Amino acid sequence: MCKLDDHVAVAVAGINSDANLLINSARLFAQRYTAGYSEPVPIEQLVHHLCDQKQGYTQFGGLRPFGVSFLFAGWDKSSGFQLYQSDPSGNYAGWTATAIGANNQAAQAVLKSEYAPNMSLNAARKLAVKVLKQTMDSTILMPDKVEMCEVACAYEVPSEKHIRFRMASDKELEELCGLANSATLPTS
C-alpha cells in the first residue's frame, strides 16, 4: 500500500521495482498538478496519465512492459470516491469493489456476493480481511503479513480538506486478523 497524495492510495501486485518507478512518477504528476492548479489532481486524470506511461512501453521493441497491476482508491470533488484497477498493458477500469494479484478471481467472487454499496467503513474493513483470509495461501492470517489503508472522510459531507489517507495500525490489524482467524466476521 502506498500513498500517492493525501486523497489517493494505491495497492500493488507484481514487480515491486516497476511499481516503485511508476509510483514515483504518479507522485510527481500529482504534485505538479497541485502546484499548477492549486487543487488536488482528479483521480481518473492521475490514473489515465500513469496508464498512458505503462501503455507506451508495450508499443516498441526493446522495451519490457511494466509488470505491475495497480488498484487506485481516492476521492475528488468532481466524482467523489472512486476505485480504479489498471493492468500491465495500461488498460484501466473503474469499479465499486475489485481485487488484484494472486487468487483475484476468488476474491472477486467473495466481493460480488458480499459487498454492499451502503456498507459502513468498519464492515468494509471486515470484508477486506475476510477476502484476504479466504484467498491467501496461509491458513492463519498474520497481522505482520497484512497492510490495510483507507482514504476516508471524517465528516458526513466530504470535501478536499477532510479526505485523508490513513494506514491501519498494528492494533487494528491484530484485531481484524483475530476475528478472521476465529471466523466470526459479521460484515454488518
Side-chain angles (χ1 to χ4, degrees):
M1 304 298 305
C2 297
K3 176 181 179 179
L4 294 182
D5 204 352
D6 284 338
H7 68 299
V8 188
V10 65
V12 175
I15 302 172
N16 283 334
S17 59
D18 287 358
N20 290 339
L21 184 89
L22 290 167
I23 286 169
N24 286 339
S25 174
R27 286 176 176 155
L28 186 61
F29 180 78
Q31 292 304 307
R32 284 180 177 160
Y33 186 95
T34 301
Y37 297 101
S38 299
E39 66 180 28
V41 63
I43 307 305
E44 187 170 7
Q45 189 169 346
L46 177 65
V47 172
H48 184 86
H49 171 79
L50 199 63
C51 288
D52 279 350
Q53 186 176 355
K54 287 169 72 173
Q55 196 277 333
Y57 277 72
T58 68
Q59 291 184 348
F60 306 105
L63 296 177
R64 175 184 63 80
F66 291 104
V68 65
S69 291
F70 289 122
L71 200 55
F72 298 90
W75 183 91
D76 63 46
K77 66 182 180 182
S78 61
S79 301
F81 288 103
Q82 298 159 73
L83 179 67
Y84 290 96
Q85 174 185 354
S86 78
D87 61 26
S89 70
N91 288 330
Y92 72 94
W95 296 85
T96 54
T98 192
I100 58 172
N103 296 329
N104 69 50
Q105 292 172 336
Q108 288 178 4
V110 173
L111 289 170
K112 187 175 181 178
S113 66
E114 297 193 30
Y115 174 78
N118 60 351
M119 76 182 0
S120 70
L121 187 56
N122 194 40
R125 288 182 191 131
K126 290 177 181 178
L127 179 57
V129 172
K130 181 177 182 177
V131 167
L132 286 173
K133 169 78 171 130
Q134 292 183 3
T135 58
M136 287 182 69
D137 295 332
S138 175
T139 56
I140 297 175
L141 195 59
M142 302 298 293
D144 61 332
K145 302 287 185 196
V146 175
E147 284 184 325
M148 185 181 293
C149 75
E150 59 193 43
V151 178
C153 181
Y155 300 97
E156 291 294 320
V157 179
S159 77
E160 292 172 18
K161 298 174 189 168
H162 304 120
I163 301 294
R164 292 290 175 249
F165 169 93
R166 185 182 80 79
M167 291 295 294
S169 69
D170 292 340
K171 183 180 177 184
E172 290 172 308
L173 291 175
E174 286 176 20
E175 181 181 316
L176 287 167
C177 289
L179 288 171
N181 291 328
S182 66
T184 59
L185 268 177
T187 57
S188 55

